[in-house]
PDB file of all heavy atoms in Angstrom:
ATOM      1  N   LEU A 934      77.887  88.893  92.866  1.00 93.00           N
ATOM      2  CA  LEU A 934      78.744  89.921  93.456  1.00 93.00           C
ATOM      3  C   LEU A 934      78.893  89.721  94.958  1.00 93.00           C
ATOM      4  O   LEU A 934      79.921  90.060  95.532  1.00 93.00           O
ATOM      5  CB  LEU A 934      78.148  91.321  93.237  1.00 93.00           C
ATOM      6  CG  LEU A 934      77.952  91.818  91.819  1.00 93.00           C
ATOM      7  CD1 LEU A 934      77.566  93.290  91.855  1.00 93.00           C
ATOM      8  CD2 LEU A 934      79.203  91.623  90.992  1.00 93.00           C
ATOM      9  N   ALA A 935      77.845  89.236  95.583  1.00 93.00           N
ATOM     10  CA  ALA A 935      77.860  89.113  97.039  1.00 93.00           C
ATOM     11  C   ALA A 935      77.013  87.930  97.444  1.00 93.00           C
ATOM     12  O   ALA A 935      76.123  87.519  96.709  1.00 93.00           O
ATOM     13  CB  ALA A 935      77.296  90.387  97.680  1.00 93.00           C
ATOM     14  N   SER A 936      77.329  87.387  98.610  1.00 92.00           N
ATOM     15  CA  SER A 936      76.411  86.420  99.184  1.00 92.00           C
ATOM     16  C   SER A 936      76.341  86.679 100.674  1.00 92.00           C
ATOM     17  O   SER A 936      77.276  87.199 101.284  1.00 92.00           O
ATOM     18  CB  SER A 936      76.835  84.995  98.868  1.00 92.00           C
ATOM     19  OG  SER A 936      78.070  84.722  99.443  1.00 92.00           O
ATOM     20  N   GLY A 937      75.195  86.346 101.233  1.00 94.00           N
ATOM     21  CA  GLY A 937      75.010  86.629 102.638  1.00 94.00           C
ATOM     22  C   GLY A 937      73.768  85.936 103.149  1.00 94.00           C
ATOM     23  O   GLY A 937      73.220  85.064 102.491  1.00 94.00           O
ATOM     24  N   GLY A 938      73.367  86.346 104.330  1.00 94.00           N
ATOM     25  CA  GLY A 938      72.172  85.745 104.892  1.00 94.00           C
ATOM     26  C   GLY A 938      72.152  85.853 106.400  1.00 94.00           C
ATOM     27  O   GLY A 938      73.030  86.481 107.005  1.00 94.00           O
ATOM     28  N   GLN A 939      71.130  85.238 106.981  1.00 95.00           N
ATOM     29  CA  GLN A 939      71.091  85.156 108.436  1.00 95.00           C
ATOM     30  C   GLN A 939      71.896  83.932 108.842  1.00 95.00           C
ATOM     31  O   GLN A 939      71.812  82.870 108.227  1.00 95.00           O
ATOM     32  CB  GLN A 939      69.655  85.034 108.937  1.00 95.00           C
ATOM     33  CG  GLN A 939      69.626  84.878 110.467  1.00 95.00           C
ATOM     34  CD  GLN A 939      68.244  85.019 111.059  1.00 95.00           C
ATOM     35  OE1 GLN A 939      67.253  85.114 110.340  1.00 95.00           O
ATOM     36  NE2 GLN A 939      68.168  85.033 112.387  1.00 95.00           N
ATOM     37  N   ARG A 940      72.679  84.098 109.900  1.00 95.00           N
ATOM     38  CA  ARG A 940      73.519  82.991 110.374  1.00 95.00           C
ATOM     39  C   ARG A 940      72.792  82.200 111.444  1.00 95.00           C
ATOM     40  O   ARG A 940      71.858  82.704 112.079  1.00 95.00           O
ATOM     41  CB  ARG A 940      74.834  83.528 110.957  1.00 95.00           C
ATOM     42  CG  ARG A 940      75.440  84.716 110.268  1.00 95.00           C
ATOM     43  CD  ARG A 940      75.702  84.481 108.801  1.00 95.00           C
ATOM     44  NE  ARG A 940      76.482  85.580 108.213  1.00 95.00           N
ATOM     45  CZ  ARG A 940      76.774  85.671 106.940  1.00 95.00           C
ATOM     46  NH1 ARG A 940      76.326  84.768 106.074  1.00 95.00           N
ATOM     47  NH2 ARG A 940      77.496  86.681 106.490  1.00 95.00           N
ATOM     48  N   GLU A 941      73.272  81.008 111.701  1.00 95.00           N
ATOM     49  CA  GLU A 941      72.733  80.206 112.796  1.00 95.00           C
ATOM     50  C   GLU A 941      73.418  80.627 114.085  1.00 95.00           C
ATOM     51  O   GLU A 941      74.640  80.496 114.202  1.00 95.00           O
ATOM     52  CB  GLU A 941      72.990  78.718 112.532  1.00 95.00           C
ATOM     53  CG  GLU A 941      72.420  77.812 113.579  1.00 95.00           C
ATOM     54  CD  GLU A 941      70.939  78.083 113.810  1.00 95.00           C
ATOM     55  OE1 GLU A 941      70.112  77.712 112.949  1.00 95.00           O
ATOM     56  OE2 GLU A 941      70.625  78.698 114.854  1.00 95.00           O
ATOM     57  N   HIS A 942      72.647  81.166 115.031  1.00 95.00           N
ATOM     58  CA  HIS A 942      73.269  81.634 116.276  1.00 95.00           C
ATOM     59  C   HIS A 942      73.046  80.661 117.427  1.00 95.00           C
ATOM     60  O   HIS A 942      73.589  80.841 118.508  1.00 95.00           O
ATOM     61  CB  HIS A 942      72.731  83.012 116.660  1.00 95.00           C
ATOM     62  CG  HIS A 942      71.267  83.021 116.939  1.00 95.00           C
ATOM     63  ND1 HIS A 942      70.327  82.944 115.933  1.00 95.00           N
ATOM     64  CD2 HIS A 942      70.573  83.064 118.096  1.00 95.00           C
ATOM     65  CE1 HIS A 942      69.120  82.962 116.467  1.00 95.00           C
ATOM     66  NE2 HIS A 942      69.235  83.021 117.776  1.00 95.00           N
ATOM     67  N   ARG A 943      72.184  79.646 117.230  1.00 95.00           N
ATOM     68  CA  ARG A 943      71.888  78.673 118.299  1.00 95.00           C
ATOM     69  C   ARG A 943      72.906  77.547 118.216  1.00 95.00           C
ATOM     70  O   ARG A 943      72.997  76.850 117.197  1.00 95.00           O
ATOM     71  CB  ARG A 943      70.471  78.150 118.124  1.00 95.00           C
ATOM     72  CG  ARG A 943      69.417  79.262 118.190  1.00 95.00           C
ATOM     73  CD  ARG A 943      68.110  78.839 117.574  1.00 95.00           C
ATOM     74  NE  ARG A 943      68.259  78.555 116.145  1.00 95.00           N
ATOM     75  CZ  ARG A 943      67.248  78.216 115.344  1.00 95.00           C
ATOM     76  NH1 ARG A 943      66.019  78.095 115.831  1.00 95.00           N
ATOM     77  NH2 ARG A 943      67.459  77.983 114.073  1.00 95.00           N
ATOM     78  N   ILE A 944      73.646  77.384 119.283  1.00 94.00           N
ATOM     79  CA  ILE A 944      74.806  76.489 119.201  1.00 94.00           C
ATOM     80  C   ILE A 944      74.441  75.047 118.857  1.00 94.00           C
ATOM     81  O   ILE A 944      75.139  74.393 118.082  1.00 94.00           O
ATOM     82  CB  ILE A 944      75.673  76.578 120.482  1.00 94.00           C
ATOM     83  CG1 ILE A 944      76.964  75.791 120.273  1.00 94.00           C
ATOM     84  CG2 ILE A 944      74.912  76.098 121.711  1.00 94.00           C
ATOM     85  CD1 ILE A 944      78.038  76.072 121.288  1.00 94.00           C
ATOM     86  N   ASN A 945      73.327  74.562 119.389  1.00 94.00           N
ATOM     87  CA  ASN A 945      72.973  73.174 119.094  1.00 94.00           C
ATOM     88  C   ASN A 945      72.680  72.982 117.611  1.00 94.00           C
ATOM     89  O   ASN A 945      73.105  72.002 116.988  1.00 94.00           O
ATOM     90  CB  ASN A 945      71.765  72.736 119.929  1.00 94.00           C
ATOM     91  CG  ASN A 945      72.146  72.626 121.397  1.00 94.00           C
ATOM     92  OD1 ASN A 945      73.333  72.477 121.730  1.00 94.00           O
ATOM     93  ND2 ASN A 945      71.157  72.721 122.282  1.00 94.00           N
ATOM     94  N   GLU A 946      71.950  73.945 117.044  1.00 94.00           N
ATOM     95  CA  GLU A 946      71.631  73.881 115.618  1.00 94.00           C
ATOM     96  C   GLU A 946      72.917  73.974 114.791  1.00 94.00           C
ATOM     97  O   GLU A 946      73.087  73.289 113.787  1.00 94.00           O
ATOM     98  CB  GLU A 946      70.721  75.045 115.223  1.00 94.00           C
ATOM     99  CG  GLU A 946      69.482  75.201 116.089  1.00 94.00           C
ATOM    100  CD  GLU A 946      68.489  74.073 115.860  1.00 94.00           C
ATOM    101  OE1 GLU A 946      68.460  73.541 114.733  1.00 94.00           O
ATOM    102  OE2 GLU A 946      67.763  73.717 116.807  1.00 94.00           O
ATOM    103  N   LEU A 947      73.800  74.847 115.262  1.00 94.00           N
ATOM    104  CA  LEU A 947      75.050  75.077 114.532  1.00 94.00           C
ATOM    105  C   LEU A 947      75.883  73.793 114.485  1.00 94.00           C
ATOM    106  O   LEU A 947      76.418  73.421 113.425  1.00 94.00           O
ATOM    107  CB  LEU A 947      75.821  76.205 115.225  1.00 94.00           C
ATOM    108  CG  LEU A 947      77.043  76.772 114.517  1.00 94.00           C
ATOM    109  CD1 LEU A 947      76.689  77.245 113.111  1.00 94.00           C
ATOM    110  CD2 LEU A 947      77.610  77.951 115.307  1.00 94.00           C
ATOM    111  N   VAL A 948      75.959  73.118 115.616  1.00 94.00           N
ATOM    112  CA  VAL A 948      76.721  71.871 115.674  1.00 94.00           C
ATOM    113  C   VAL A 948      76.077  70.825 114.754  1.00 94.00           C
ATOM    114  O   VAL A 948      76.767  70.132 113.991  1.00 94.00           O
ATOM    115  CB  VAL A 948      76.817  71.358 117.124  1.00 94.00           C
ATOM    116  CG1 VAL A 948      77.364  69.936 117.159  1.00 94.00           C
ATOM    117  CG2 VAL A 948      77.719  72.290 117.944  1.00 94.00           C
ATOM    118  N   ASN A 949      74.754  70.762 114.781  1.00 93.00           N
ATOM    119  CA  ASN A 949      74.059  69.837 113.883  1.00 93.00           C
ATOM    120  C   ASN A 949      74.372  70.135 112.425  1.00 93.00           C
ATOM    121  O   ASN A 949      74.605  69.235 111.623  1.00 93.00           O
ATOM    122  CB  ASN A 949      72.541  69.937 114.090  1.00 93.00           C
ATOM    123  CG  ASN A 949      72.116  69.134 115.298  1.00 93.00           C
ATOM    124  OD1 ASN A 949      72.836  68.226 115.740  1.00 93.00           O
ATOM    125  ND2 ASN A 949      70.964  69.473 115.865  1.00 93.00           N
ATOM    126  N   ASN A 950      74.367  71.418 112.101  1.00 92.00           N
ATOM    127  CA  ASN A 950      74.672  71.829 110.724  1.00 92.00           C
ATOM    128  C   ASN A 950      76.058  71.338 110.304  1.00 92.00           C
ATOM    129  O   ASN A 950      76.254  70.837 109.206  1.00 92.00           O
ATOM    130  CB  ASN A 950      74.622  73.349 110.599  1.00 92.00           C
ATOM    131  CG  ASN A 950      73.186  73.875 110.592  1.00 92.00           C
ATOM    132  OD1 ASN A 950      72.233  73.089 110.612  1.00 92.00           O
ATOM    133  ND2 ASN A 950      73.046  75.183 110.573  1.00 92.00           N
ATOM    134  N   MET A 951      77.008  71.509 111.222  1.00 90.00           N
ATOM    135  CA  MET A 951      78.380  71.077 110.925  1.00 90.00           C
ATOM    136  C   MET A 951      78.421  69.583 110.655  1.00 90.00           C
ATOM    137  O   MET A 951      79.041  69.130 109.688  1.00 90.00           O
ATOM    138  CB  MET A 951      79.293  71.382 112.110  1.00 90.00           C
ATOM    139  CG  MET A 951      79.680  72.832 112.209  1.00 90.00           C
ATOM    140  SD  MET A 951      80.776  73.027 113.627  1.00 90.00           S
ATOM    141  CE  MET A 951      81.305  74.696 113.355  1.00 90.00           C
ATOM    142  N   LEU A 952      77.767  68.859 111.538  1.00 90.00           N
ATOM    143  CA  LEU A 952      77.782  67.405 111.383  1.00 90.00           C
ATOM    144  C   LEU A 952      77.165  67.008 110.047  1.00 90.00           C
ATOM    145  O   LEU A 952      77.687  66.141 109.342  1.00 90.00           O
ATOM    146  CB  LEU A 952      77.027  66.751 112.548  1.00 90.00           C
ATOM    147  CG  LEU A 952      77.721  66.903 113.912  1.00 90.00           C
ATOM    148  CD1 LEU A 952      76.802  66.437 115.039  1.00 90.00           C
ATOM    149  CD2 LEU A 952      79.054  66.151 113.944  1.00 90.00           C
ATOM    150  N   GLU A 953      76.087  67.678 109.681  1.00 89.00           N
ATOM    151  CA  GLU A 953      75.438  67.340 108.403  1.00 89.00           C
ATOM    152  C   GLU A 953      76.311  67.659 107.206  1.00 89.00           C
ATOM    153  O   GLU A 953      76.204  67.025 106.160  1.00 89.00           O
ATOM    154  CB  GLU A 953      74.104  68.081 108.282  1.00 89.00           C
ATOM    155  CG  GLU A 953      72.970  67.287 108.891  1.00 89.00           C
ATOM    156  CD  GLU A 953      71.642  67.603 108.235  1.00 89.00           C
ATOM    157  OE1 GLU A 953      71.606  67.759 106.998  1.00 89.00           O
ATOM    158  OE2 GLU A 953      70.648  67.704 108.976  1.00 89.00           O
ATOM    159  N   LYS A 954      77.173  68.668 107.387  1.00 86.00           N
ATOM    160  CA  LYS A 954      78.075  69.031 106.274  1.00 86.00           C
ATOM    161  C   LYS A 954      79.357  68.212 106.326  1.00 86.00           C
ATOM    162  O   LYS A 954      80.299  68.471 105.568  1.00 86.00           O
ATOM    163  CB  LYS A 954      78.425  70.521 106.331  1.00 86.00           C
ATOM    164  CG  LYS A 954      77.252  71.465 106.188  1.00 86.00           C
ATOM    165  CD  LYS A 954      76.793  71.604 104.748  1.00 86.00           C
ATOM    166  CE  LYS A 954      75.586  72.539 104.663  1.00 86.00           C
ATOM    167  NZ  LYS A 954      74.991  72.566 103.319  1.00 86.00           N
ATOM    168  N   GLY A 955      79.413  67.283 107.247  1.00 84.00           N
ATOM    169  CA  GLY A 955      80.593  66.421 107.324  1.00 84.00           C
ATOM    170  C   GLY A 955      81.797  67.087 107.981  1.00 84.00           C
ATOM    171  O   GLY A 955      82.935  66.695 107.750  1.00 84.00           O
TER     172      GLY A 955
END
Side-chain angles (χ1 to χ4, degrees):
Chain A
L934 299 189
S936 63
Q939 177 169 7
R940 323 303 189 185
E941 182 53 74
H942 63 285
R943 300 161 297 183
I944 188 165
N945 291 338
E946 308 290 330
L947 190 55
V948 169
N949 279 339
N950 285 356
M951 283 181 170
L952 292 171
E953 272 208 40
K954 298 282 179 188

